[in-house]
Amino acid sequence: MQKLAQICIKRPVFATMLIMALVVLGLDSYRKLGVDFFPKIELPIVTITTTLRGAAPEEVESQVSKRIEEAVNTISGIDDLRSNSSEGVSIVSIQFVLEKDADVAAQEVRDKISAILRDLPQDVDPPVVEKLATDASPVVNVVISSPRDLRETTKIVDDRIKKNIESLPGVGQVRFVGDRQRQIQVWLNGDQLYSYNLNVDQVRAALASQNVEIPGGRIDAGSREISLRTLGRVEKPADFANVIVSPNGGAPIRIKDIGDVVDGFEEPRSFARLDGKPAVVLEVRKQEGTNTLDVISTVKGRIGELKNLIPSDFEITYARDQSSFIRESFQAVQEHLILGGILAAIIVMLFIRNWRATLIAAIAIPTSIVSTYTLMNAMGFSLNQITMLALTLVVGIVIDDAIVVLENIFRFMEEKKMGPVEAAIEGTKDIGLAVLATTLSLVIIFLPVALMSGIVGRFMSSFGYTAAFAIMVSLVVSFTLTPMLSARFLKPSHGAEATKETWLFRVMAVPYRTMLLWSMRHRWVIAVVCILVTLSTGPLFMMIGKDFLPTDDQSEFEVTVRMPAGSSLSGSENVVKQMEADLKTLPGVRNMLSGIGTDIRRQVDRGSILVELVDPKERKQTQKQIMLMAREKMLRYKDLVVGVKLPSLFGNGGNDSDFAYYLQGPDLNQLEKYAATLKATLGAMPGVVDLDSSYEAGKPEFNVHINRDKAADLGVNVQSVATALRTLVGGD
């Protein structure tokens, strides 16, 4: 490294271009780096979602979940395999060992699922295989409210907003919540069906066969070729009433003779409300690996352009907007980074008392930090809490090498009366090995952090690499730019008072010398104190609270509620309305977004209330205190399962509880008893809140038992009866 320093001192243009190349690459990389809250973490977790509409949980478990588990269980590298079977939906979650490549794992699962498709029930929808992407999460909710009918609002939002933002770069999915999609419904009259001697299958078959549009091929007309198409689609909703179900010997029976046609909307399975007003919500998810701030900014920009196409009575607001919190966190860390650099330069100025030397040392900080962006971009990192923490931490470290080299050059000039060029060469040569050893000792501390295994290692990997690279760049700067600038920029002091003779050094030297002499005379005391300090780390570590991630004041929290099994949408809506009234009395509440049936299964017995708070500067209570007050207000809903928690920044849809117990056994009734006992025991422990169990009692149901003999006498089979009931009750 001394040879490099000599070359840079004698060839200042080479040194300048070398450092400028690093800086230019760093600035270009900074422009390309994404900004997010957490680093992208890829966990080898694959979920298989399968829908069997109308099936009971027991049927889903035996015919779908169990068969899928048996198929994928042979894949190598499985660490944990579990399934959740509910009404009509099976979710099988496979967690592989961390060393398993997530893409390879997902493809192996797809291959296994493809092999058993024929073994699944005929009515099952194709299984959806997805790998868990922690950064492909909902980033913003676009809430649209208007005084119009929800069906009309949904149609306008779908045509003018949803379709326009789905194609934006970085947007992965836009999902409706609380929408009312248009549906043409045929309501049949059972008495009329009986009087005309018709059954449901005939009506369904007539609607299916008389509302089609089939290509008829091509007609060769000499020099021309003409396409043939049979136009059989019903063009107007009212025309469905004239569809013929049966000719009936020349007196055709039409739909209007046996029922009514209604231009309505599909059965509501979700509901959304903003501050008590019905609304339609667009839940925007970003694509994996994209920049959160860019995606949100792009979506808001496009909606701003579309406002001229949206009726004036439509009110658009944004909820669960991550951009504000991420931007504020990023700006706060940036301020600390800049402030740290300025304070480090002030300390140098205070001790060396030379503005030229201070400027040379201060240049090392931005040069090293900016150059570090090149590695971050090359390794696919983003500017997030973890990497920015590393940069903030190394602000005081990257200047160390430059200060040590600069101070030694300054000392040679001041004490040995050398010229700047000679002092730069000799001073760097004198201290070079010590600087190299110090830098490598720091790098070797951060590299193990970068190479850690486990989930913590996935989070901290970018921290270790970022810090190690910044320190290595500072070493290069201290042996190139610092000696070159010292040789060309420093001026020798003629007859001035030596730096070590100034009042500041004299004031600091007296207590330092006193403590040093006392320590040397009482070495056993110093040794005992060091041993006691070392031994105290164990008890102190046990006393300090521990968490995976810090809890920040995001100015929002979520209240989730699970109603008793069998609750309807209107019943759940009434309960959520009462909870809204209770939460509205909390201090600092800005607005509330309520939703029912927002999950993938559209369960109407599930509700959530997103409580957004005013800025922390505008309220006296902290977010944690307001959450505790919300829990106290929710205590009166004893028959419901209520939770108060922070919105997940990962949005993986999984269980984000602090810890969980898993009970296994062949008897569900016994497991339910054990779970209740465990829940009661945990509930009595201080600090335990929001207890919940994944086991849920089945919904109330009517069972139809068919008399096979009578059915055979009437010429019908079980499938015909079941299909007729499904059409008449559930719709088809």
Side-chain angles (χ1 to χ4, degrees):
M1 297 298 284
Q2 290 89 340
K3 291 292 184 182
L4 178 62
Q6 291 182 20
I7 294 173
C8 292
I9 293 170
K10 296 177 181 179
R11 301 286 187 271
V13 175
F14 167 76
T16 303
M17 291 299 101
L18 176 63
I19 299 302
M20 285 299 296
L22 293 175
V23 172
V24 170
L25 288 173
L27 291 174
D28 181 64
S29 299
Y30 178 81
R31 181 176 57 86
K32 299 176 182 177
L33 287 173
V35 180
D36 219 326
F37 190 72
F38 286 122
K40 176 187 175 183
I41 306 297
E42 189 173 76
L43 301 177
I45 299 176
V46 179
T47 60
I48 309 163
T49 306
T50 313
T51 303
L52 182 59
R53 305 184 190 281
E58 295 81 6
E59 185 180 357
V60 172
E61 196 274 336
S62 61
Q63 296 192 26
V64 180
S65 299
K66 189 174 181 180
R67 294 178 183 179
I68 291 178
E69 285 179 330
E70 291 173 350
V72 301
N73 195 39
T74 57
I75 300 175
S76 62
I78 292 181
D79 185 45
D80 184 58
L81 174 62
R82 65 170 64 97
S83 65
N84 188 314
S85 301
S86 58
E87 183 181 5
V89 179
S90 163
I91 300 178
V92 178
S93 177
I94 311 169
Q95 181 175 339
F96 294 87
V97 293
L98 286 175
E99 294 75 20
K100 184 90 170 183
D101 185 87
D103 293 323
V104 173
Q107 187 56 50
E108 290 180 353
V109 171
R110 291 189 185 97
D111 294 340
K112 292 293 183 181
I113 296 300
S114 299
I116 64 160
L117 286 177
R118 68 186 68 181
D119 298 329
L120 298 177
Q122 291 183 352
D123 296 338
V124 73
D125 291 346
V128 179
V129 179
E130 296 177 302
K131 67 174 184 177
L132 175 65
T134 55
D135 65 338
S137 58
V139 291
V140 65
N141 286 346
V142 184
V143 186
I144 303 100
S145 58
S146 75
R148 307 190 184 195
D149 179 73
L150 275 178
R151 195 188 83 163
E152 183 183 359
T153 303
T154 301
K155 177 63 176 174
I156 295 175
V157 170
D158 190 17
D159 291 341
R160 304 184 187 180
I161 300 179
K162 183 174 182 288
K163 292 177 181 178
N164 278 285
I165 65 176
E166 281 179 326
S167 58
L168 292 176
V171 175
Q173 181 190 34
V174 181
R175 193 169 71 94
F176 262 126
V177 175
D179 57 315
R180 298 291 182 267
Q181 298 291 345
R182 185 186 185 188
Q183 187 180 72
I184 310 301
Q185 300 169 340
V186 178
W187 292 86
L188 299 177
N189 186 309
D191 294 333
Q192 293 294 332
L193 279 174
Y194 180 75
S195 65
Y196 285 112
N197 196 26
L198 295 175
N199 57 48
V200 175
D201 286 339
Q202 290 175 281
V203 179
R204 186 176 59 178
L207 288 170
S209 61
Q210 298 197 47
N211 183 33
V212 294
E213 188 170 303
I214 302 175
R218 293 181 294 273
I219 299 175
D220 189 0
S223 61
R224 292 190 306 162
E225 187 177 79
I226 304 173
S227 298
L228 176 65
R229 190 157 50 100
T230 304
L231 302 179
R233 285 285 186 186
V234 177
E235 296 183 355
K236 300 178 182 178
D239 292 343
F240 277 100
N242 296 320
V243 171
I244 298 174
V245 178
S246 173
N248 195 29
I253 302 172
R254 304 177 186 273
I255 293 292
K256 62 183 179 181
D257 298 325
I258 56 175
D260 298 316
V261 177
V262 178
D263 187 357
F265 51 85
E266 64 183 6
E267 179 187 3
R269 298 298 296 175
S270 68
F271 184 85
R273 183 166 50 215
L274 178 66
D275 294 332
K277 300 177 182 178
V280 173
V281 178
L282 294 177
E283 187 182 76
V284 181
R285 293 176 178 266
K286 73 185 187 74
Q287 294 174 349
E288 182 181 357
T290 53
N291 186 344
T292 301
L293 292 185
D294 284 349
V295 172
I296 297 176
S297 177
T298 303
V299 170
K300 289 183 176 180
R302 176 59 63 85
I303 292 177
E305 296 172 359
L306 297 172
K307 282 190 175 180
N308 293 331
L309 304 176
I310 302 171
S312 58
D313 57 349
F314 275 51
E315 182 180 351
I316 300 177
T317 55
Y318 299 96
R320 207 187 291 266
D321 184 356
Q322 293 186 9
S323 62
S324 301
F325 181 61
I326 294 174
R327 187 179 292 107
E328 290 174 3
S329 301
F330 178 66
Q331 290 174 350
V333 177
Q334 275 190 321
E335 290 174 5
H336 297 161
L337 185 62
I338 295 172
L339 187 60
I342 294 173
L343 292 176
I346 291 175
I347 295 298
V348 174
M349 182 65 183
L350 187 64
F351 281 89
I352 296 184
R353 297 186 308 122
N354 186 300
W355 70 270
R356 294 174 181 266
T358 301
L359 184 60
I360 293 172
I363 289 175
I365 297 177
T367 303
S368 302
I369 296 298
V370 171
S371 301
T372 306
Y373 295 139
T374 305
L375 172 85
M376 295 173 60
N377 182 50
M379 298 196 67
F381 297 159
S382 63
L383 295 171
N384 53 67
Q385 289 281 75
I386 304 299
T387 54
M388 292 299 290
L389 174 64
L391 293 176
T392 306
L393 178 65
V394 299
V395 163
I397 299 176
V398 296
I399 199 176
D400 283 353
D401 292 343
I403 289 177
V404 172
V405 173
L406 176 66
E407 192 275 336
N408 208 47
I409 295 172
F410 192 80
R411 184 175 65 86
F412 270 62
M413 291 177 59
E414 193 174 55
E415 295 181 359
K416 300 186 179 183
K417 306 302 179 182
M418 291 183 178
V421 175
E422 185 183 3
I425 295 174
E426 295 300 325
T428 306
K429 182 179 179 181
D430 179 64
I431 204 71
L433 189 61
V435 172
L436 179 62
T438 303
T439 304
L440 293 179
S441 66
L442 290 171
V443 171
I444 208 66
I445 292 174
F446 288 104
L447 277 181
V449 177
L451 301 174
M452 285 174 61
S453 60
I455 296 178
V456 176
R458 297 291 177 94
F459 265 89
M460 301 305 295
S461 175
S462 58
F463 174 89
Y465 281 120
T466 302
F469 189 72
I471 294 171
M472 289 302 297
V473 173
S474 73
L475 177 65
V476 175
V477 171
S478 66
F479 281 102
T480 55
L481 187 65
T482 301
M484 186 274 290
L485 290 176
S486 299
R488 304 290 169 177
F489 197 55
L490 285 181
K491 299 294 182 182
S493 56
H494 300 286
E497 183 183 16
T499 305
K500 290 192 291 185
E501 301 300 326
T502 58
W503 65 271
L504 179 61
F505 278 85
R506 287 196 297 266
V507 170
M508 295 183 64
V510 173
Y512 174 72
R513 187 180 294 112
T514 302
M515 289 189 295
L516 180 61
L517 292 175
W518 188 90
S519 300
M520 296 300 292
R521 289 194 299 266
H522 303 84
R523 298 180 182 180
W524 66 273
V525 176
I526 302 302
V528 170
V529 171
C530 290
I531 294 173
L532 291 176
V533 170
T534 304
L535 294 177
S536 67
T537 56
L540 290 175
F541 176 78
M542 300 302 295
M543 294 170 60
I544 295 175
K546 304 172 187 64
D547 208 339
F548 183 64
L549 294 171
T551 302
D552 298 298
D553 193 328
Q554 303 176 31
S555 294
E556 64 179 18
F557 63 90
E558 189 174 27
V559 179
T560 59
V561 57
R562 191 177 79 202
M563 318 292 174
S567 298
S568 64
L569 180 63
S570 59
S572 301
E573 183 185 343
N574 292 332
V575 173
V576 170
K577 196 171 184 179
Q578 296 176 21
M579 297 175 69
E580 285 177 345
D582 293 336
L583 295 171
K584 194 174 182 180
T585 60
L586 293 173
V589 175
R590 187 177 63 195
N591 54 47
M592 291 184 292
L593 176 62
S594 306
I596 300 172
T598 59
D599 62 322
I600 189 174
R601 290 178 281 179
R602 295 294 180 106
Q603 300 176 96
V604 297
D605 58 350
R606 303 286 196 282
S608 65
I609 303 174
L610 179 67
V611 182
E612 295 192 337
L613 307 174
V614 297
D615 191 84
K617 299 176 183 178
E618 301 176 16
R619 48 184 160 89
K620 298 179 180 179
Q621 297 83 1
T622 64
Q623 176 181 270
K624 187 176 180 180
Q625 291 172 332
I626 297 176
M627 290 176 67
L628 290 174
M629 296 167 65
R631 282 196 178 95
E632 292 177 359
K633 290 184 176 295
M634 295 298 104
L635 289 176
R636 73 186 189 95
Y637 299 96
K638 297 181 179 179
D639 297 333
L640 309 177
V641 180
V642 182
V644 180
K645 60 181 183 179
L646 294 172
S648 174
L649 283 171
F650 295 111
N652 55 23
N655 186 358
D656 55 357
S657 302
D658 292 328
F659 64 92
Y661 287 98
Y662 293 95
L663 303 180
Q664 292 179 303
D667 191 342
L668 281 176
N669 294 327
Q670 284 296 115
L671 285 177
E672 185 181 8
K673 293 179 181 178
Y674 294 147
T677 303
L678 182 60
K679 189 175 178 180
T681 304
L682 291 173
M685 297 175 62
V688 178
V689 294
D690 302 337
L691 284 168
D692 194 7
S693 172
S694 64
Y695 177 79
E696 302 174 30
K699 291 173 61 177
E701 63 180 18
F702 290 112
N703 295 322
V704 177
H705 298 277
I706 299 173
N707 188 316
R708 297 180 183 272
D709 294 334
K710 290 184 178 180
D713 292 340
L714 295 172
V716 296
N717 53 39
V718 175
Q719 183 178 2
S720 299
V721 176
T723 304
L725 284 173
R726 184 178 67 181
T727 305
L728 290 170
V729 177
D732 195 10

